[in-house]
Amino acid sequence: MSGAGDARFMALALALGRRGQGQCWPNPAVGCVIVKDGRIVGRGWTAPGGRPHAEPQALARAGAAARGATVYVSLEPCAHHGETPPCADALIGAGVARVVAPVPDSDPRVSGKGFERLRAAGIEVTTGVCAEQAMADLGGFLRRESGGRPHLTLKLATSFDGRIATATGHSQWITGPAARHMVHGLRARHDAVMVGAGTARADDPMLTVRGHGAVRQPVRVVVSRRLDLPLMSQLARSAQEVPLWLCHGPDPDDVLAEAWDGVGASRIACDLVGQQLDIASVLENLGDCGLTRIFCEGGGGLAASLLQAGLVDELVGFTAGLAIGAEGLPGIGALGLERLEAAHRFRLAETRAVGGDVMHRWLRD
């Protein structure tokens, strides 16, 4: 297979893997394509909940045609016994001739061992194909497995002049129905939706996915140092149906902590920096809990903290064709920048019209 052919089929495997984003944590969202004589004979992606993995699904579809075929998988096949047998062993047993994968798995139970097992069985292994895109798709999983943090997307919906609400706090609806539908789709592609305490108090949000069929609902994460959130909110009333995690300081009020435990919320104690929650500690703790992709929807103070700490991997903005004026509320809190050069610049990846609004997506270099 030519290099161009490898890139083409790997791009398809990556696209299939993205179908599982938000639906299979703590496992990675992996895609797999099996090709024989230039024809796709099997394909699969990580199932909701994390199992079955992509490779056994693709092998089942390929059947006997997998023997002597080339397998394109968007992450190194696993080599350890968990709840299912190793995918590397399944590929060996199927008699495939070649495996192409962009990057090794950072899980120490796998890291390089899957490739070693395949090579020991006489299977040709090619790595590095579409590695940059694989790192973008799986960065949160790979970072988390090596002691880092989840991938973080920061979303802002603003007026043309960069405001998220009027001076009185009224914010429904700055963007139109098409943009709001897209936001629900973005929620579905992340493991968790995160907001600050101010947004939870002001908007009383549900933070669930609606209008996209039957999906695994994301974890709702609220960052609240004191746990001073309304116990009659939609979040509290639904905590036993849809997971609600509260990130708070190391010494929460005992009465509030007991009340949130009583409604079914999970609490995560995080470190402080001065009088504020250490946002890096928040993300590290969420990664330790298995999250790989987090979608942050504000508010301004939380957004500013994430940007100041250099923890934002992706910006998604929705701009509406209306102006609110200087008295309106800004989307991001003060960053304390004295010089423009200190601001981190993101790289524009996509821009398009969504209904009557404009969506623009930016990636961290």
Side-chain angles (χ1 to χ4, degrees):
M1 182 70 64
S2 68
D6 280 350
R8 172 177 153 238
F9 288 120
M10 183 57 69
L12 177 56
L14 286 161
L16 290 173
R18 288 192 285 274
R19 295 186 182 187
Q21 287 180 339
Q23 303 300 299
C24 60
W25 69 275
N27 285 0
V30 175
C32 179
V33 175
I34 302 177
V35 178
K36 190 169 187 179
D37 299 326
R39 183 173 66 89
I40 295 173
V41 296
R43 63 179 191 162
W45 58 93
T46 311
R51 294 179 178 83
H53 292 181
E55 297 95 323
Q57 294 188 76
L59 287 169
R61 291 185 173 97
R67 185 162 298 277
T70 297
V71 177
Y72 296 87
V73 59
S74 59
L75 184 67
E76 177 184 8
C78 63
H80 65 286
H81 282 271
E83 293 185 25
T84 56
C87 290
D89 287 357
L91 294 169
I92 293 167
V96 306
R98 181 171 177 244
V99 171
V100 182
V103 292
D105 193 330
S106 59
D107 186 330
R109 296 171 300 176
V110 181
S111 190
K113 299 180 181 69
F115 292 150
E116 290 173 7
R117 189 171 297 189
L118 293 170
R119 290 188 175 107
I123 295 172
E124 180 185 350
V125 175
T126 301
T127 62
V129 178
C130 299
E132 184 176 352
Q133 184 60 58
M135 288 298 299
D137 289 353
L138 296 164
F141 171 81
L142 295 171
R143 257 197 317 267
R144 191 205 71 190
E145 287 294 332
S146 58
R149 59 172 179 81
H151 177 95
L152 189 127
T153 301
L154 174 62
K155 185 271 292 184
L156 289 172
T158 67
S159 62
F160 177 75
D161 54 343
R163 305 293 164 169
I164 60 170
T166 64
T168 61
H170 182 73
S171 61
Q172 292 184 325
W173 298 97
I174 286 179
T175 54
R180 296 197 295 274
H181 182 76
M182 178 176 279
V183 168
H184 281 277
L186 289 167
R187 286 179 180 177
R189 289 185 54 199
H190 288 76
D191 308 340
V193 178
M194 182 170 71
V195 298
T199 296
R201 286 191 291 264
D203 295 349
D204 189 21
M206 270 292 285
L207 302 180
T208 52
V209 176
R210 301 182 291 280
H212 286 266
V215 298
R216 184 188 192 186
Q217 289 291 343
V219 175
R220 286 94 53 83
V221 176
V222 181
V223 180
S224 173
R225 190 190 73 171
R226 298 185 181 89
L227 289 179
D228 50 345
L229 302 165
L231 281 158
M232 294 304 294
S233 65
Q234 293 192 88
L235 290 171
R237 292 198 302 269
S238 60
Q240 294 190 14
E241 288 75 46
V242 182
L244 174 64
W245 296 0
L246 306 178
C247 295
H248 57 81
D251 297 306
D253 179 275
D254 290 341
V255 174
L256 288 175
E258 184 176 350
W260 281 107
D261 293 345
V263 302
S266 297
R267 295 186 295 105
I268 302 173
C270 302
D271 298 335
L272 296 178
V273 175
Q275 296 301 308
Q276 302 298 320
L277 279 177
D278 179 0
I279 195 62
S281 168
V282 169
L283 290 190
E284 288 166 9
N285 282 323
L286 292 173
D288 289 342
C289 291
L291 298 181
T292 67
R293 291 170 54 82
I294 298 175
F295 190 61
C296 180
E297 297 196 42
L302 179 58
S305 295
L306 290 164
L307 287 165
Q308 279 183 317
L311 298 173
V312 176
D313 300 294
E314 186 172 349
L315 294 171
V316 176
F318 293 89
T319 303
L322 59 91
I324 293 176
E327 68 278 5
L329 301 180
I332 297 175
L335 291 174
L337 295 174
E338 295 183 0
R339 296 179 61 83
L340 185 60
E341 292 84 352
H344 181 85
R345 290 189 180 272
F346 289 75
R347 171 174 54 85
L348 182 63
E350 180 183 5
T351 182
R352 58 177 156 133
V354 180
D357 306 307
V358 175
M359 186 278 287
H360 37 108
R361 188 169 65 92
W362 306 73
L363 300 177
R364 186 177 187 87
D365 285 328

